[in-house]
Amino acid sequence: MARGDAALTRALRLLALAALPLGVVAVFFVLPVGAMLVRGLAPDGQLDPGGLLEVLGRDRTGRVLWFTVWSAALGTLLSLLLGLPVAYVLFRLAVPGARVLRALTLVPFVLPTVVVGAAFRALLGEGGLLAFLGWDGTPAAIVAALVFFNVSVVVRVVGGAWAGLDPRSEQAAAALGASPVRVLLTVTLPALRSALASAAAVVFLFCSTAFGVVLTLGGLRYATVETEIYLLTRAFDLPAAACLSLVQVVTVVALLALLGRLRGRAHGAVPVDRVPPRPRRPRRGDVPALVVTGLVVLATALPIAGLAAASFRVRGAWTLANYRALDEPGVTTALDVPVLTALRNSLQVAVDATWMALLLGLLVALVVTRRARTRPERVVRGLLDGFFMLPLGVSAVVLGFGLLVTVARPPLALRDEPLLVPLVQALVALPLVVRTLVPVLAGIDDRQRQAAASLGASPARTLLVVDLPVVWRPLLAAAGFAFATSLGEFGATSFLSRPDHPTLPVVIGRLLGSPGTTGAQSNPGMAMAAAVVLAATVTVVVLAVERLRVPSVGAV
């Protein structure tokens, strides 16, 4: 009985530590999404199973589900295959400009999806640099854009873990005669299993919930569940939209259950070295990875270069008019504020969203990586781990619409609260922060915490002297991810931002939605110029984070 009481006490302690993030996610995610689902599935207060079956039985629903699954799976596979060598080169090898390249690989992740869709159309369409491929209007263009976005996720999550991997196991295998490929397959990849599983889950969820890219490149012919929910919501077919949202949630839960089985604590943790190994010089065997990295950087640069070129064009002529108009109020009827004012709004929101995401994410990561001695603890930890990944797999359209329904009236009349948008963006970034921190925290030998406790250290002191020195660098990487995610978030923010206080992605979306020319500049050209400013801003921020990643402070 005493043992059962102790197990229950430890499980309750886990829940107490997770109380703050649980409360935030429950109020600002579960409640609005639940309200949206109830409105769609039970508009008259009574669930209609026949309506659900009718939506699932539609031919278009079947095509949408199949396209979502196979395009997301292929996008995830290609992102892993390309991101793995890039992570190795940028985090384990001493290559010139590694910090700059790490920052540049994150730029696609922050660009609004509608802008990237437009950039790919310009690149692959008639007259584009890659028009000879014949990919315009095909699934190949959509998958290429998904990989363009998500390679950076693999590079950051896997590279952050790889940078602090204890090299002695690899060195021992090589000394016993194992080839580099055998060392990679039998030593390195198993050690990175947790990080790889985390990255794959996040990328699959991002691919399956891609919105702007699929809508721009696929139109009505190639739709994913995310874009179909948007189209159904615009057509006021809320029952069908709610049905597909429910499919999304069920798919995410199933994926998270699979991830939990793949990422066992004993075998999936990253064995971190408290003194991070120094990057070594490239060798002859690193040439394939270097070539892949060069190709990925080039492929990343092409759409961004096309974006920059479009920002300098008006009526076929080269001009700076689009940039001059960014700080001119009233230059176009599509905007209520100058673009640079929107950039300041975005930076302010991103700062708030980042500290919120880091606070919540660190608490969640600490909870789900603590050693589970009993079955109740393992169950609670597994449920919490999956619960906090849910925001990645639910449509931003559903979340934004649900928030409008729930926060616009009492008892949650928070529509005009300045922290509402940052809080929602923090929820969007929360799974990324958790997935970045969990593999590293799980790799800390629990005996170090036990030794600190036996010497009289309090739990807070143990956290400072054992966990923080190891998690310092991935915490900075997570901050960069959260900041970038906030800067580029468009879906839910488009529902919640006030007309007089828009973020930059919302402004870009408005400009792209108002084609035409006003004076010396064009609205799409201004959108491209604003996107270039956004990309430059996130590059500077990530470079600053890279400069703060002092090698002598902790491991990954």
Side-chain angles (χ1 to χ4, degrees), residues 13 31 37 55 116 124 128 200 221 304 349 366 368 455 541:
R13 285 176 180 173
L31 182 61
L37 292 177
V55 173
V116 173
L124 299 172
R221 184 179 180 186
I304 296 175
V349 169
L366 288 172
V368 301
L455 293 173
V541 170

Side-chain angles (χ1 to χ4, degrees), residues 14 17 265 269-270 272 274 362-373 381 437-471:
L14 283 177
L17 189 60
R265 180 182 172 86
V270 178
V272 295
R274 291 186 67 82
L362 185 58
L363 287 174
V364 174
L366 288 172
V367 169
V368 301
T369 56
R370 282 299 178 264
R371 182 182 178 185
R373 297 183 179 87
R381 193 184 68 181
L437 299 180
V438 161
V440 181
L441 281 172
I444 300 175
D445 192 339
D446 199 53
R447 290 174 295 183
Q448 298 178 28
R449 301 186 183 103
Q450 295 170 1
S454 66
L455 293 173
S458 64
R461 177 75 176 171
T462 301
L463 175 66
L464 290 175
V465 300
V466 176
D467 295 283
L468 189 59
V470 176
V471 82

Side-chain angles (χ1 to χ4, degrees), residues 494-509:
S494 63
F495 284 87
L496 301 173
S497 65
R498 302 193 304 271
D500 61 336
H501 203 267
T503 61
L504 189 51
V506 171
V507 165
I508 293 172

Side-chain angles (χ1 to χ4, degrees), residues 267-485:
H267 303 289
V270 178
V272 295
D273 189 355
R274 291 186 67 82
V275 180
R278 289 180 176 274
R280 62 169 178 81
R281 284 187 167 189
R283 301 168 184 166
R284 181 177 301 177
D286 298 323
V287 170
L290 290 168
V291 170
V292 172
T293 300
L295 292 175
V296 169
V297 171
L298 177 61
T300 300
L302 281 177
I304 296 175
L307 196 67
S311 69
F312 290 101
R313 302 280 289 181
V314 177
R315 300 189 186 93
W318 296 96
T319 176
L320 292 173
N322 291 323
Y323 286 91
R324 295 193 189 102
L326 293 184
D327 201 31
E328 296 179 10
V331 70
T332 172
T333 57
L335 297 181
D336 296 320
V337 300
V339 172
L340 293 186
T341 299
L343 175 61
R344 288 192 289 270
N345 295 340
S346 287
L347 291 173
Q348 180 182 357
V349 169
V351 169
D352 290 332
T354 299
W355 70 257
M356 291 178 186
L358 290 180
L359 173 62
L360 298 175
L362 185 58
L363 287 174
V364 174
L366 288 172
V367 169
V368 301
T369 56
R370 282 299 178 264
R371 182 182 178 185
R373 297 183 179 87
T374 62
R375 180 174 177 80
E377 288 179 276
R378 286 193 295 271
V379 170
V380 170
R381 193 184 68 181
L383 291 175
L384 290 174
D385 191 15
F387 178 74
F388 291 109
M389 282 285 284
L390 286 176
L392 269 184
V394 174
S395 168
V397 175
V398 174
L399 178 59
F401 190 85
L403 281 166
L404 279 182
V405 171
T406 54
V407 305
R409 57 188 182 186
L412 294 174
L414 305 175
R415 180 69 178 84
D416 296 323
E417 287 295 324
L419 289 181
L420 177 61
V421 172
L423 186 57
V424 172
Q425 294 185 354
L427 289 179
V428 174
L430 178 61
L432 280 174
V433 174
V434 174
R435 293 275 68 85
T436 302
L437 299 180
V438 161
V440 181
L441 281 172
I444 300 175
D445 192 339
D446 199 53
R447 290 174 295 183
Q448 298 178 28
R449 301 186 183 103
Q450 295 170 1
S454 66
L455 293 173
S458 64
R461 177 75 176 171
T462 301
L463 175 66
L464 290 175
V465 300
V466 176
D467 295 283
L468 189 59
V470 176
V471 82
W472 174 251
R473 291 175 68 196
L475 197 61
L476 287 175
F481 254 141
F483 197 90
T485 301

Side-chain angles (χ1 to χ4, degrees), residues 173-217:
L176 293 173
S179 65
V181 174
R182 187 169 179 81
V183 171
L184 175 68
L185 295 177
T186 61
V187 178
T188 306
L189 292 184
L192 292 172
R193 185 173 119 181
S194 179
L196 287 169
S198 294
V202 170
V203 170
F204 185 87
L205 290 175
F206 271 131
C207 289
S208 61
T209 57
F211 176 64
V213 163
V214 179
L215 192 64
T216 304
L217 298 177

